[in-house]
Amino acid sequence: MAIAHILGYPRIGEKRALKFAQEAFWNGELTAAGLQEVGKGLREQHWNKQQQAGLGFITAGDFTFYDHVLDHVVLFGAAPARFGFKGPLSEQDYFAMARGNKAQPAMEMTKWFDTNYHYIVPELNADTSFSINAHDFLSRLDEAQKLNKSVKPVLLGPVSLLYLSKAKGVDKLSLLDSLAEQYANLLKELHHRKIEWAQIDEPIFALDLDDAWLKAFERAYAWFRTSRPKLLLATYFANVARYQGYITSLPVDGVHIDLARAPEQLAPWLNALPGHWVLSAGVIDGRNIWRNDLDKSLETLQPLAAKLGERLWVAPSCSLLHTPVTLAHEEKLDVEIKSWLAFADQKLQELNILVKALNEGDEAVATQLAESRAAVQARHSSPRVHAVAVKARLAALDKVNEDRAHAYAERRKTQHEKLKLPLLPTTTIGSFPQTAEIRASRAAFKKGDIAVNQYEADMQAHIAYAIREQEALDIDVLVHGEAERNDMVEYFGEQLAGYAFTQHGWVQSYGSRCVKPPVIYGDVYRPQPMTVETAKYAQSLTSRPVKGMLTGPVTMLQWSFVRDDQPRQTTALQLALAIRDEVDDLQRAGIAVIQIDEPAFREGLPLQGAEWKQYLTWAVRAFKLSASVADDSTQIHTHMCYSEFNDILPAIAAMDADVITIETSRSHMELLDGFGEFKYPNEIGPGVYDIHSPRVPSEQEIRRLMQRAVEVVPVEQLWINPDCGLKTRAWEETRAALDNMVKVAKQLRQEFTA
Ligand code: GLN
Ligand code: ZN
């Protein structure tokens, strides 16, 4: 008998109860006991759902009040000493590590592999020592065991935990044994509690690991030869077959592999699976929202079941943390599109059906299989998915010039003659403060309390205000301020064909922050201009150039749930064509500067280096396709932020934007060094102040940063701008900060032209 299980369930609740509880606790509106109550309720709900879906285990240890990596810091007694915690950690202490407190900044946060989830980075140093602090972990396990006999706790493995940490003054691997020893102690305790199986996640197998790290597994897991539950080693997000030799030599009892991302690893794993091991087959996509093709999954699973019997486990590819919770509350979603989707709860049902089919035969679930088949079939052939004209246009791309008409050096002359900008031109990244009035107006419009003309008039007033402010500040290249946009992807998605939106499709990004990625379900095209009227209006108010502001194809792709029935790059090219149409219309409408934002460009990089080239090739192509319709005289900007640029500089240069603005103030312009060494040929606007804080940067600070910048990049190539958009700021500090920025630009101009 095969069984089903999951690696983890979303924590946030069907309607984001966790977020509201966290925030209420932070605001002092909810007590610690109240917060714990909410957590307990959520866990119980999640376990009940797993139980009802007939899973072989309910999974415990996946719930967290902020982040599971932070929970491991607590579990293994590695709270940074700088916080000075004494005695058992309170809720306040816990959140202080994640969010900072009066005395100490928060611990660092970074992206969890190539997902949009962010984890808290453990801080290690020479004084770090590990000890078990398992009170919460074990009491949650007790809760689970009261509900169900078969509980499978999950732990992030010791090697991944160390690898994902940041160590100062100590070699991480020197801490390996003492950490693994504590894991072994915890496993002993689990064994004592009659836990039969535990899941140990080692997601770093998805990365390019060097020998030292690969060997670390053997050393760490040698500690686990004592009394312990059976161990399922879980990998995900990539093909890990290349590390098979290392994995199969570990003293564990099974492996989970991601067959949604990397179905090709099944064959090598079947060949090499040790005789007594369980194989957990991750056939349901844990990162996307599409209904599973159950027939296809059964085709994969049936031979496995025949071969492995009860050693076959069926699972989603990774934790369901990365999908929204349930379709149950989606009342506005088109019913046909809804029938194509599966969120976490629907995936539990799919597991149930698959396992029933395996154990009792297809007949046992004939109705469910027929229903699934019909939905998959309908989606496959739906005219809503397939737009003939879009496919034809894509097929004819060889007739499109994907490069600008002339090389940058020549365009530069044309643009400079047209725009007549001073040395070190000043600009901003796009958004201005999203004030309470703006948000109120948008909410009223959404609710139907105000008519569309009223809403548009309101937005025009905010745009006019932003233009006046920028003129008063004497900024050179203006923006309209993006008042009409709630989100840079949603705003465009809503106007493009092929996009759908959910009401509750939230996914945790970090802590209490959730995002609701739109769904690209069909061929994407632009039925009509999206920003042209707004851009024309803004430009009509001033004689200075106002940037047309677009979101780039790679970012649109990266921040949406995307189709699984065509390669990502095909969707990216469709998006690129839609944006290309907009660029063309904008320039025809007299917009001389157009910015195509790509903040998510680097996020798309594959986890394994061997795949970088292929990604960068199509990502650059998509950007260029969107931009290359611009005449020489139209200045194309792009913007990227909060990422490493150095290792992808050739790709950034190949995008051939006339101007790139980047976030550099956090690193005190260090990020610019790479551009300097690379001799980045086009113009660059390094960010001169952090936009996350209301703090107004002084003239000296900005000046110092720009002085560093001119040491690295020729002054003729430089612009001056903030790090990123200003929508989270208030006008008061924005005005003051930009005023200082413009003053510095003027001083430097004088100095350089004197
Ligand atoms: N134009 C966008 C803004 O200013 C860019 C945001 C971003 O980089 N994430 O808000
Ligand atoms: Zn940005």
Side-chain angles (χ1 to χ4, degrees):
M1 295 265 283
I3 62 154
H5 77 124
I6 58 171
L7 303 197
Y9 187 84
R11 307 124 184 189
I12 56 176
E14 296 187 355
K15 292 191 173 170
R16 289 182 294 161
L18 180 61
K19 171 193 179 71
F20 301 119
Q22 287 166 318
E23 290 174 357
F25 177 74
W26 298 337
N27 297 334
E29 291 155 14
L30 184 68
T31 61
L35 177 72
Q36 293 295 351
E37 234 5 77
V38 173
K40 193 165 176 222
L42 284 169
R43 290 191 294 273
E44 199 174 297
Q45 189 185 50
H46 303 163
W47 289 326
N48 281 330
K49 287 176 175 184
Q50 293 172 51
Q51 200 155 275
Q52 276 155 25
L55 302 194
F57 295 103
I58 59 173
T59 295
D62 54 343
F63 179 82
T64 169
F65 278 114
Y66 200 97
D67 163 51
H68 60 278
V69 181
L70 179 60
D71 288 11
H72 283 72
V73 168
V74 175
L75 176 58
F76 292 106
R82 64 184 173 91
F83 286 95
F85 298 140
K86 302 229 160 41
L89 295 189
S90 66
E91 286 78 1
Q92 218 82 42
D93 296 339
Y94 174 76
F95 288 124
M97 291 188 279
R99 310 176 66 229
N101 59 18
K102 288 215 179 72
Q104 287 294 326
M107 293 168 72
E108 246 179 69
M109 182 170 76
T110 193
K111 271 169 68 72
W112 179 246
F113 298 86
D114 59 354
T115 73
N116 190 30
Y117 178 77
H118 299 73
Y119 73 95
I120 300 289
V121 183
E123 283 176 25
L124 309 175
N125 56 45
D127 298 327
T128 301
S129 69
F130 300 105
S131 59
I132 296 197
N133 174 21
H135 174 268
D136 287 354
F137 184 84
L138 293 174
S139 66
R140 292 174 192 177
L141 196 60
D142 289 342
E143 281 171 23
Q145 283 186 298
K146 271 192 204 122
L147 279 182
N148 191 305
K149 288 192 308 298
S150 304
V151 179
K152 178 199 60 182
V154 40
L155 288 165
L156 176 60
V159 187
S160 291
L161 182 61
L162 267 190
Y163 187 96
L164 298 172
S165 305
K166 201 165 175 180
K168 265 205 192 119
V170 65
D171 170 21
K172 285 187 211 175
L173 285 172
S174 71
L175 299 169
L176 183 68
D177 284 294
S178 60
L179 179 61
E181 184 181 2
Q182 297 306 330
Y183 269 81
N185 288 336
L186 182 62
L187 291 176
K188 245 183 251 166
E189 175 63 30
L190 296 181
H191 182 64
H192 182 68
R193 288 172 185 245
K194 309 236 167 355
I195 294 291
E196 195 195 347
W197 278 92
Q199 171 190 323
I200 294 219
D201 288 10
E202 290 287 8
I204 64 166
F205 276 120
L207 307 176
D208 296 324
L209 297 176
D210 65 22
D211 226 43
W213 281 99
L214 286 168
K215 291 212 172 93
F217 282 99
E218 201 184 338
R219 213 172 90 208
Y221 281 66
W223 287 92
F224 302 165
R225 295 187 190 273
T226 58
S227 69
R228 56 160 173 84
K230 288 186 211 158
L231 297 177
L232 177 75
L233 183 95
T235 69
Y236 35 87
F237 302 155
N239 184 343
V240 300
R242 61 179 168 157
Y243 298 136
Q244 214 160 42
Y246 289 95
I247 295 173
T248 53
S249 70
L250 298 177
V252 298
D253 309 279
V255 65
H256 169 88
I257 54 174
D258 182 337
L259 295 176
R261 265 282 175 91
E264 69 281 4
Q265 64 177 331
L266 180 58
W269 274 108
L270 268 187
N271 277 332
L273 197 71
H276 71 287
W277 275 28
V278 156
L279 179 71
S280 168
V283 287
I284 289 179
D285 194 343
R287 293 274 296 266
N288 214 332
I289 41 68
W290 301 106
R291 189 174 190 140
N292 188 259
D293 183 342
L294 296 176
D295 286 333
K296 207 171 135 213
S297 294
L298 283 173
E299 235 168 77
T300 307
L301 294 171
Q302 261 146 0
L304 298 183
K307 188 167 172 196
L308 299 171
E310 61 183 17
R311 291 196 290 126
L312 173 65
W313 293 9
V314 184
S317 56
C318 59
S319 168
L320 296 175
L321 170 64
H322 310 291
T323 60
V325 178
T326 179
L327 284 164
H329 309 295
E330 295 301 329
E331 281 146 13
K332 296 197 181 143
L333 194 60
D334 175 276
V335 278
E336 189 184 11
I337 294 171
K338 190 170 158 183
S339 76
W340 300 341
L341 306 181
F343 293 176
D345 285 359
Q346 288 67 46
K347 290 177 197 286
L348 294 182
Q349 293 314 318
E350 293 178 334
L351 288 172
N352 178 287
I353 301 168
L354 287 173
V355 167
K356 267 214 179 109
L358 291 176
N359 294 336
E360 299 167 29
D362 287 5
E363 321 76 63
V365 281
T367 336
Q368 290 94 320
L369 289 179
E371 194 196 319
S372 151
R373 198 169 298 137
V376 168
Q377 189 52 44
R379 179 177 163 217
H380 183 71
S381 54
S382 170
R384 309 173 71 166
V385 172
H386 303 285
V388 180
V390 176
K391 292 192 205 302
R393 199 172 167 200
L394 225 54
L397 273 189
D398 53 347
K399 294 185 193 76
V400 172
N401 190 351
E402 296 182 33
D403 294 311
R404 302 282 294 274
H406 291 97
Y408 168 71
E410 216 155 302
R411 301 196 305 266
R412 179 184 161 95
K413 276 186 234 135
T414 318
Q415 289 163 17
H416 283 214
E417 267 160 38
K418 179 171 170 188
L419 294 171
K420 303 201 168 48
L421 296 173
L423 185 72
L424 292 167
T426 50
T427 191
T428 62
I429 307 306
S431 55
F432 271 113
Q434 285 264 330
T435 57
E437 298 84 71
I438 295 178
R439 279 180 279 132
S441 176
R442 184 174 308 114
F445 176 53
K446 273 211 160 164
K447 275 211 305 222
D449 290 351
I450 59 171
V452 61
N453 351 14
Q454 180 59 51
Y455 176 69
E456 281 171 1
D458 287 355
M459 293 304 123
Q460 288 203 338
H462 294 298
I463 291 168
Y465 181 81
I467 298 283
R468 277 201 304 278
E469 287 289 334
Q470 294 170 87
E471 286 204 312
L473 285 161
D474 206 9
I475 292 176
D476 300 304
V477 174
L478 312 193
V479 295
H480 77 283
E482 301 180 26
E484 80 291 7
R485 301 180 191 179
N486 43 350
D487 174 273
M488 64 189 290
V489 171
E490 191 167 296
Y491 178 77
F492 290 98
E494 280 173 346
Q495 302 188 68
L496 291 169
Y499 260 98
F501 294 83
T502 64
Q503 285 164 280
H504 303 282
W506 297 99
V507 179
Q508 191 177 22
S509 173
Y510 61 89
S512 69
R513 173 68 167 265
C514 302
V515 295
K516 191 151 66 73
V519 175
I520 304 180
Y521 66 87
D523 288 335
V524 173
Y525 61 94
R526 186 198 70 148
Q528 57 195 29
M530 302 182 283
T531 62
V532 176
E533 285 313 310
T534 308
K536 265 169 39 185
Y537 171 72
Q539 186 62 80
S540 75
L541 302 172
T542 175
S543 56
R544 301 173 191 231
V546 182
K547 284 194 268 193
M549 196 59 64
L550 304 173
T551 303
V554 182
T555 298
M556 292 292 294
L557 182 83
Q558 208 51 40
W559 289 350
S560 305
F561 282 118
V562 300
R563 295 172 64 169
D564 60 354
D565 59 346
Q566 69 184 16
R568 289 176 79 78
Q569 69 179 88
T570 308
T571 307
L573 291 176
Q574 292 182 355
L575 285 160
L577 285 172
I579 294 155
R580 178 182 176 91
D581 293 345
E582 190 71 10
V583 170
D584 200 17
D585 282 343
L586 283 171
Q587 72 179 352
R588 283 170 204 273
I591 305 300
V593 183
I594 300 171
Q595 179 169 312
I596 306 173
D597 285 325
E598 285 290 18
F601 190 85
R602 193 180 193 288
E603 271 180 46
L605 267 190
L607 294 171
Q608 300 180 352
E611 292 165 17
W612 278 28
K613 195 168 158 212
Q614 203 222 353
Y615 163 76
L616 289 171
T617 305
W618 65 252
V620 168
R621 182 177 179 208
F623 180 86
K624 284 178 67 181
L625 185 58
S626 66
S628 59
V629 70
D631 298 334
D632 281 358
S633 68
T634 301
Q635 189 174 62
I636 296 289
H637 290 216
T638 190
H639 166 73
M640 293 183 195
C641 47
Y642 309 105
S643 34
E644 270 302 320
F645 306 110
N646 283 354
D647 47 7
I648 58 164
L649 278 172
I652 294 178
M655 288 164 72
D656 198 24
D658 298 302
V659 181
I660 183 171
T661 56
I662 55 174
E663 159 269 332
T664 40
S665 78
R666 233 180 9 156
S667 72
H668 306 284
M669 289 284 161
E670 253 169 50
L671 276 175
L672 200 60
D673 292 351
F675 285 81
E677 277 156 33
F678 182 77
K679 301 217 182 313
Y680 181 79
N682 304 8
E683 290 164 58
I684 317 174
V688 292
Y689 75 89
D690 179 21
I691 50 84
H692 285 107
S693 134
R695 210 182 128 264
V696 174
S698 68
E699 282 178 52
Q700 288 94 309
E701 263 173 81
I702 297 178
R703 204 185 148 82
R704 241 181 315 202
L705 286 178
M706 282 312 293
Q707 275 163 343
R708 268 222 65 190
V710 297
E711 283 164 18
V712 183
V713 172
V715 65
E716 303 75 34
Q717 269 172 271
L718 286 171
W719 288 57
I720 304 193
N721 44 265
D723 271 352
C724 188
L726 299 161
K727 70 173 172 194
T728 57
R729 297 272 54 84
W731 267 108
E732 199 187 45
E733 70 248 21
T734 298
R735 216 176 276 124
L738 291 176
D739 190 44
N740 287 349
M741 184 184 91
V742 172
K743 281 191 184 130
V744 172
K746 287 179 179 170
Q747 293 158 14
L748 291 175
R749 265 171 219 160
Q750 274 209 329
E751 290 161 30
F752 277 98
T753 43

